[in-house]
Amino acid sequence: MKTIILGTLLCLAAASTATTAQTLPPEHTVTVPGNALRIDVPEHPRYMMRQDCKKFVGTYDLSNGDTLELRLAGAVMYARIGKQEEHRIVATDHNAFVALDRQLKVRIDHNDDGSVDGELVMVVPAQNLSGGDIVPYHVQSIGLASR
């Protein structure tokens, strides 16, 4: 009987916590559907030789109509989305990079058939809409348009 009562109390407490979390105002929340949309900088970035970095340099079309540009300056890589500011990036895998400021991460797949695809995960800044509403900043996943 004690187990059933304790279990019921735990369920009620969890439901109460969930209800409280759902009633937070939008400016205090960030929608992140799943753990895949985390932008973490590794404690020890992966070392990538300059010649390996070169195959990722270029401009990529994004599925939302914007572009992603990756460039190499000496041994340092940078990423830029559209006309936004550049972000210094480091390798996290043989085909993945993350910005040191945690504003974006990108995976670029060079396929055996010569096509290129991948994914960009980025922080989208808060926006003021013309109707007065505010869209809070959020993390968004954007596919690279295959080429």
Side-chain angles (χ1 to χ4, degrees):
M1 185 67 167
K2 288 181 182 178
T3 304
I4 294 172
I5 293 172
L6 180 58
T8 303
L9 289 173
L10 288 174
C11 287
L12 289 172
S16 174
T17 302
T19 302
T20 302
Q22 292 174 357
T23 60
L24 288 174
E27 64 269 14
H28 294 292
T29 62
V30 177
T31 304
V32 181
N35 290 335
L37 295 184
R38 292 177 52 102
I39 301 175
D40 295 321
V41 177
E43 189 173 320
H44 301 287
R46 178 186 174 106
Y47 175 76
M48 187 177 279
M49 295 181 65
R50 183 174 166 79
Q51 69 236 26
D52 294 329
C53 292
K54 282 184 177 181
K55 74 178 183 179
F56 296 102
V57 170
T59 302
Y60 300 87
D61 293 324
L62 300 174
S63 61
N64 68 352
D66 217 337
T67 58
L68 167 69
E69 178 189 358
L70 298 182
R71 75 176 184 92
L72 193 57
V76 179
M77 284 193 72
Y78 294 92
R80 177 190 309 264
I81 300 165
K83 297 194 183 291
Q84 296 178 18
E85 66 183 66
E86 283 188 320
H87 304 272
R88 183 173 177 188
I89 59 175
V90 295
T92 59
D93 203 347
H94 71 282
N95 66 337
F97 305 89
V98 66
L100 294 177
D101 62 4
R102 293 187 170 116
Q103 295 299 298
L104 63 88
K105 70 178 179 178
V106 64
R107 185 192 83 252
I108 299 174
D109 300 317
H110 291 271
N111 302 314
D112 293 337
D113 65 359
S115 65
V116 177
D117 55 26
E119 175 188 42
L120 169 72
V121 175
M122 64 180 275
V123 174
V124 178
Q127 299 172 342
N128 293 321
L129 302 179
S130 59
D133 291 337
I134 297 174
V135 177
Y137 80 94
H138 58 280
V139 179
Q140 179 178 1
S141 173
I142 303 169
L144 271 64
S146 295
R147 59 176 182 163

